[in-house]
Amino acid sequence: MNKDLKETIEKKHKEIEPLFHKGGKFEKLYPLFEAQDTFALTPPDVTDGRTHVRDAVDLKRVMFTVVVALIPCLLWGMYNAGHQYYQGTGREAGSIVSMFRGMWIVMPIVFVSYAVGGFWEVLFAVVRKHEINEGFLVTGMLFPLTLPPTVPLWQVAVGISFGVVIGKEVFGGTGFNILNPALTARAYLFFAHPKNMTGDIWAAPLDGTTGATPLGIGAAAGAQGQNVVEVLQREGFGFFSILGGRIPGSIGETSVIAILIGAAILIVTGVGSWRIMAGGVAGLLGTAILMNFLPSGMTPDGDLLTTWTQIPFMYHLVMGSFLFGIVFMATDPVSAAQTDTGKWIYGVLIGVVTVLVRVTNPGFPEGVMIAILFMNVMAPIIDYYVVRAHIAKRNAYLRKFSYAKG
Amino acid sequence: MTADFTITKGLDLPMEGAPGDIARTVKSKGDISVYPSEYKKVKLKLLVSEGDEVPRGGVLARRKDQEDFLLRAPVAGTVKSIVYGDRRALLEIVIEPNGSEASESFTSYTVDGLARASREKLLGILKDSGFMALVRQRPFNIIAEADKSPKSIFVNGMNTAPFRPDAHVLVRGKEAELQAGLNALTRLTDGPVHLCLSADKKGAGDALTNAAHVNVNYFQGPHPSGNTSTHIHFLDPILPGDVVWTLRVSDVIRIGELLLTGVLPSTQTVMLAGNGIKEEMRGYVTVPTGTPLSELLEGALEEGEMRIVRGDALCGEKTSIGDGVRFYDQGFVVIPEDRERLLLGWYAPTKEIFSAHRVVPSAWLKGKTFSFGTNRRGSYRALVLTGIYDKYVPLDIMVDPLARTCIAKDTDEAIALGILETDPEDFALCTFVCPSKTDFGAIVAETLDLIQEEGF
């Protein structure tokens, strides 16, 4: 069956291919044909240059593996969107009903992200006469997962347009961007349409009731000098209920388990950098523990210092988007540091900045988005110093030999 | 003095078609060709014209920049035709052998006599016979310049790349020639001569492991533990201004042959390997230099479209059946041209096509050998994944920054990052594993050329 299907496709493609070549009717749409053609069948191209054999891996497989790793988060995100919807409207519903309701809420967001982002991707490919890049498969999925399920669809469209065009294409396309395109899109919506995006308020769809996220509640409680853990418990956000993921939040971020499954896929296949993930977690936990040593509550001078600093470190790990960000966003190899040592530093600093923004910045309850974007910008500088250190080490090794020779 | 090194970075391709232990001889039936074009970047002045008679060892051409560096005929005969390429580049000199025994002769030595020979005299013979071309010089991997004194000489007796000839097979019956060649090399440098062998062959007890007057070093580990750059890096790395000379064991044997007999060797041994060669024909063939490949490969090729690669499959030059056995050749790898399109092959959980990446199921099959074809297995893309390439380069080189520096044509930075220690072949594995199908070897080669032109 496979063979017949393959031959049919091959024949059909041969028939229509001339239409897309120079002078053909759809000459301009060649990138679309190419994408479709190489999606169905691997290219027939043979190697040139001096290396005559090649590894079976290509960028399509690498990129799609990230999408596969995101599927647990997407599925949980759908279920949870439905669950929160029924919670918000005060109705009882089973998991299957919640799942279907959630699909109804989430699928349009994903669809709009892929359709609008895909449009820009194809447009740039056609104008620039290059191939359509698989990187978009990841961006198109990552972006909706960072959004609250209540986001209006037009904002999804505007956001992904900004992310793809300004975040990526103006730099020259995949491989040349400085910032992670999905996160750029998220940041754009966050600052341009804060009403829907603060991450503080989760508005249930249709009837407008709202639910607050643990980060929002915690920061507010801390500012009033209350015992943050107690307040969270009271609001139904005990450590294990946050871990369980049936809480309000962005679509992909709530389930720690789904994210860990994704992380395992990325690490086992070698697609995502475990150094960045491990560094990020270490940086976050280390900074969270240091924060615990800061003074809090009433000072002798009568100032009220936030008790938000006192929250146990493991809460930082499971609250908000940190895990989702460090596993899927920070590991984007194009915008991350490129050297192995650089990846450690980059990861650790994302963890550090995340806690700093969360705890010391009254404006943003969540810091991971800002932390990753900030470190995206810093990554080339980290790499620069890592490479300088490498050159110094190289020279020391070489000098050893010149001394040995006298 | 011996030293042992264990290399952990790298990858042995589990490739089908390894050469067998068979040795045979092929006699040339017709014309013999000399290929001046294989001396890259060397300008030659032609000294014969069509119809001239030449003895074996007769002068065909000389280098324009070194008048005493000659190119000689491996066989006596008549110059039948001279083939020029673009801009009158000298491509090929075809000689019709006339069966005459006439031969030019050079000074001959005994094995022990070579250990006391004078450097000037030996260099004179090497240049006069054209065999100096077998001695290569790093950095840049060019023909050794006789006026430079190398700080050490490296002889490569390893074959980790898929596939190169096994030096321990080549040396059988050529023990005296090998030692003669090594003795001559010790006279060319004030420093040591390093013979680098595979640690697996430590107990071989042959002329290589027992070689005298040289340092025998053993390297263990996956490819590129057998690359000369790896040996140099661990034994005597190239500092700015340094020059080292490098040879392969097959070259040393040929130089030994020349110096022992005093006549130009007219044959050389080449390896045939790869699954494009019939299994019973994979092995070692002693063949007159300049024999057309059509004669060498007669009856050896499998059915179908095949690619003939001069050198190995990871770093070699594509050629065709119309070519001949050239002076530098020590082996040919033949693999199928694979243009097959696979249905959804980009994500199919393939077990039949090798991958070093754990994202492809075949990477989990340890110990399995694979059939390799020439398919590129994907389209060209921008460099996206980082940090994977360093796992395949045992030198103290960061591949990502070096590649980016080379693309930006920043030669100073490339030198600081260690490009002068390398040869394009060291990056062949990076090219192999790259999901974006980037040719790292070509990128590095271009920058090395640029540095050589600019001077440093």
Side-chain angles (χ1 to χ4, degrees):
Chain A
M1 195 282 267
N2 262 0
K3 212 168 167 160
D4 292 347
L5 180 60
K6 196 190 119 182
E7 272 161 18
T8 320
I9 296 175
E10 222 166 343
K11 223 172 95 206
K12 261 265 145 350
H13 281 193
K14 280 228 174 76
E15 265 169 39
I16 59 170
E17 192 171 353
L19 292 176
F20 295 94
H21 278 296
K22 216 171 167 72
K25 213 173 184 176
F26 305 115
E27 180 191 335
K28 289 213 152 57
L29 295 179
Y30 181 76
L32 262 183
F33 171 77
E34 197 271 349
Q36 197 283 128
D37 181 49
T38 57
F39 174 83
L41 302 165
T42 52
D45 308 336
V46 292
T47 52
D48 43 22
R50 294 179 67 87
T51 304
H52 300 271
V53 290
R54 296 296 169 93
D55 194 294
V57 80
D58 73 344
L59 213 53
K60 282 189 175 64
R61 189 184 290 263
V62 172
M63 291 297 186
F64 197 73
T65 302
V66 183
V67 176
V68 169
L70 283 167
I71 286 175
C73 291
L74 175 70
L75 291 178
W76 181 267
M78 288 196 227
Y79 161 74
N80 190 41
H83 174 74
Q84 295 300 325
Y85 169 82
Y86 286 116
Q87 289 260 304
T89 52
R91 277 180 276 167
E92 285 292 313
S95 0
I96 300 198
V97 179
S98 296
M99 187 75 197
F100 275 104
R101 169 56 70 178
M103 272 171 75
W104 188 248
I105 300 168
V106 172
M107 283 321 277
I109 302 176
V110 176
F111 178 79
V112 167
S113 167
Y114 268 124
V116 176
F119 164 77
W120 289 111
E121 193 72 31
V122 171
L123 182 68
F124 272 88
V126 166
V127 171
R128 289 231 185 90
K129 298 187 173 51
H130 64 61
E131 282 122 357
I132 296 169
N133 248 305
E134 296 79 17
F136 175 68
L137 290 177
V138 177
T139 309
M141 177 63 88
L142 265 182
F143 174 60
L145 293 185
T146 63
L147 301 175
T150 48
V151 67
L153 291 182
W154 67 268
Q155 285 187 9
V156 179
V158 172
I160 192 75
S161 301
F162 186 88
V164 169
V165 176
I166 306 295
K168 185 168 78 171
E169 293 296 347
V170 294
F171 293 103
T174 302
F176 302 94
N177 45 303
I178 294 169
L179 303 174
N180 180 318
L183 212 48
T184 310
R186 169 66 152 83
Y188 169 76
L189 283 193
F190 182 84
F191 290 112
H193 303 283
K195 199 167 85 110
N196 305 77
M197 293 296 298
T198 50
D200 180 15
I201 303 295
W202 191 91
L206 304 181
D207 66 352
T209 54
T210 59
T213 62
L215 276 172
I217 294 170
Q224 291 159 16
Q226 292 168 293
N227 184 328
V228 178
V229 177
E230 266 174 26
V231 175
L232 283 176
Q233 291 275 13
R234 196 165 354 122
E235 296 285 334
F237 294 120
F239 180 73
F240 288 100
S241 63
I242 302 177
L243 194 73
R246 284 163 37 132
I247 52 169
S250 298
I251 297 168
E253 76 178 26
T254 56
S255 169
V256 173
I257 293 154
I259 294 168
L260 290 182
I261 294 172
I265 293 175
L266 292 184
I267 292 172
V268 168
T269 58
V271 169
S273 166
W274 60 270
R275 289 183 180 85
I276 294 176
M277 298 183 205
V281 171
L284 180 97
L285 297 184
T287 317
I289 291 168
L290 282 180
M291 284 287 169
N292 290 166
F293 290 102
L294 288 180
S296 68
M298 276 295 176
T299 63
D301 302 338
D303 295 331
L304 181 63
L305 294 176
T306 178
T307 49
W308 190 209
T309 51
Q310 301 306 309
I311 188 153
F313 61 89
M314 65 272 190
Y315 277 85
H316 273 297
L317 196 59
V318 297
M319 284 188 308
S321 319
F322 174 73
L323 272 182
F324 186 83
I326 199 76
V327 169
F328 295 110
M329 296 285 193
T331 52
D332 166 16
V334 176
S335 52
Q338 289 160 1
T339 52
D340 282 353
T341 320
K343 281 176 180 150
W344 276 112
I345 300 172
Y346 168 85
V348 167
L349 288 178
I350 286 176
V352 171
V353 176
T354 300
V355 177
L356 286 180
V357 174
R358 277 183 182 178
V359 175
T360 63
N361 185 311
F364 311 125
E366 176 54 301
V368 67
M369 176 184 82
I370 293 159
I372 296 175
L373 286 174
F374 182 66
M375 292 315 296
N376 279 172
V377 176
M378 291 297 152
I381 299 176
I382 298 175
D383 279 335
Y384 175 82
Y385 284 104
V386 171
V387 169
R388 289 302 110 190
H390 162 74
I391 291 173
K393 196 183 106 228
R394 266 187 61 78
N395 288 338
Y397 173 76
L398 295 178
R399 264 202 305 278
K400 207 171 71 195
F401 281 86
S402 75
Y403 287 144
K405 294 230 159 290
Chain B
M1 201 175 86
T2 70
D4 283 41
F5 297 90
T6 303
I7 309 294
T8 50
K9 290 180 173 181
L11 171 72
D12 280 326
L13 288 197
M15 188 164 167
E16 283 175 4
D21 205 345
I22 319 153
R24 60 195 168 95
T25 307
V26 166
K27 292 225 173 352
S28 160
K29 286 177 267 188
D31 299 340
I32 286 292
S33 292
V34 175
Y35 298 91
S37 55
E38 69 180 311
Y39 307 101
K40 303 262 154 56
K41 294 184 206 155
V42 169
K43 286 210 170 72
L44 292 165
K45 175 150 181 62
L46 191 64
L47 298 174
V48 289
S49 44
E50 285 178 15
D52 286 0
E53 294 271 326
V54 287
R56 174 172 167 193
V59 178
L60 298 174
R62 64 169 169 77
R63 273 179 78 152
K64 281 183 175 164
D65 56 345
Q66 293 177 48
E67 301 215 335
D68 54 349
F69 196 134
L70 304 174
L71 177 65
R72 290 176 181 266
V75 65
T78 314
V79 177
K80 193 171 161 189
S81 64
I82 294 166
V83 184
Y84 292 98
D86 294 344
R87 295 201 272 167
R88 284 190 68 75
L90 191 51
L91 293 185
E92 186 179 347
I93 302 169
V94 185
I95 299 169
E96 187 178 0
N98 57 12
S100 126
E101 294 290 313
S103 172
E104 296 269 339
S105 62
F106 306 89
T107 318
S108 65
Y109 292 85
T110 60
V111 176
D112 293 333
L114 278 167
R116 297 182 301 271
S118 93
R119 181 177 198 260
E120 277 60 46
K121 196 82 199 299
L122 287 174
L123 285 174
I125 297 172
L126 288 175
K127 286 201 283 185
D128 192 32
S129 62
F131 271 46
M132 190 71 189
L134 292 175
V135 185
R136 310 288 299 181
Q137 176 174 308
R138 302 281 183 104
F140 306 124
N141 198 3
I142 52 176
I143 295 174
E145 298 163 303
D147 55 345
K148 294 256 168 67
S149 72
K151 69 168 181 170
S152 48
I153 296 180
F154 286 83
V155 178
N156 191 335
M158 291 182 70
N159 58 329
T160 52
F163 299 100
R164 288 185 198 169
D166 182 350
H168 297 268
V169 174
L170 294 180
V171 82
R172 278 181 213 155
K174 301 275 186 187
E175 289 82 3
E177 284 83 352
L178 174 79
Q179 191 57 53
L182 291 174
N183 285 356
L185 293 181
T186 59
R187 305 301 297 149
L188 301 183
T189 175
D190 296 332
V193 173
H194 292 289
L195 174 61
C196 300
L197 303 175
S198 162
D200 300 337
K201 299 286 172 61
K202 218 168 180 175
D206 61 5
L208 285 166
T209 55
N210 295 330
H213 309 304
V214 297
N215 296 352
V216 183
N217 306 285
Y218 294 97
F219 284 79
Q220 177 120 46
H223 180 68
S225 64
N227 276 5
T228 299
S229 309
T230 310
H231 305 156
I232 299 174
H233 178 75
F234 287 100
L235 285 163
D236 198 2
I238 302 172
L239 298 160
D242 278 351
V243 160
V244 302
W245 288 357
T246 70
L247 299 94
R248 305 166 297 188
V249 162
S250 59
D251 304 329
V252 179
I253 293 173
R254 286 163 78 188
I255 289 174
E257 211 173 325
L258 167 77
L259 295 170
L260 285 181
T261 60
V263 287
L264 212 63
S266 61
T267 60
Q268 63 198 72
T269 302
V270 294
M271 173 210 67
L272 297 182
N275 51 5
I277 301 260
K278 289 180 184 153
E279 196 167 354
E280 66 275 14
M281 302 298 254
R282 292 176 202 153
Y284 298 84
V285 188
T286 302
V287 61
T289 305
T291 305
L293 292 187
S294 54
E295 291 178 29
L296 176 72
L297 297 172
E298 206 178 342
L301 294 180
E302 295 276 6
E303 291 296 308
E305 192 192 2
M306 294 292 157
R307 179 182 295 192
I308 304 169
V309 177
R310 153 174 290 120
D312 62 79
L314 272 178
C315 190
E317 195 182 312
K318 179 181 168 177
T319 184
S320 66
I321 197 83
D323 201 350
V325 176
R326 300 187 176 199
F327 185 62
Y328 278 119
D329 286 339
Q330 60 165 2
F332 294 90
V333 174
V334 182
I335 50 175
E337 285 284 13
D338 180 2
R339 300 178 198 276
E340 201 195 341
R341 309 195 63 180
L342 304 171
L343 187 65
L344 297 176
W346 61 277
Y347 209 67
T350 177
K351 288 182 191 143
E352 300 309 318
I353 307 167
F354 176 74
S355 174
H357 296 269
R358 296 191 304 267
V359 65
V360 187
S362 62
W364 298 81
L365 305 171
K366 298 284 174 228
K368 180 178 153 95
T369 55
F370 295 82
S371 164
F372 281 76
T374 59
N375 195 288
R376 201 172 59 210
R377 312 266 175 237
S379 315
Y380 291 123
R381 289 289 181 262
L383 273 175
V384 168
L385 280 200
T386 56
I388 52 176
Y389 308 108
D390 290 352
K391 283 185 257 174
Y392 302 99
V393 180
L395 311 177
D396 190 11
I397 298 274
M398 295 178 100
V399 180
D400 290 292
L402 178 63
R404 280 157 216 263
T405 305
C406 288
I407 293 167
K409 298 205 186 326
D410 182 350
T411 52
D412 290 344
E413 179 78 355
I415 292 170
L417 285 166
I419 195 171
L420 295 181
E421 275 198 69
T422 68
D423 184 71
E425 69 172 11
D426 302 322
F427 300 94
L429 276 174
C430 302
T431 308
F432 174 81
V433 299
C434 183
S436 308
K437 310 297 167 189
T438 310
D439 191 341
F440 286 88
I443 292 170
V444 169
E446 204 174 294
T447 309
L448 280 169
D449 284 348
L450 190 64
I451 295 172
Q452 201 186 347
E453 266 166 43
E454 285 179 350
F456 67 98

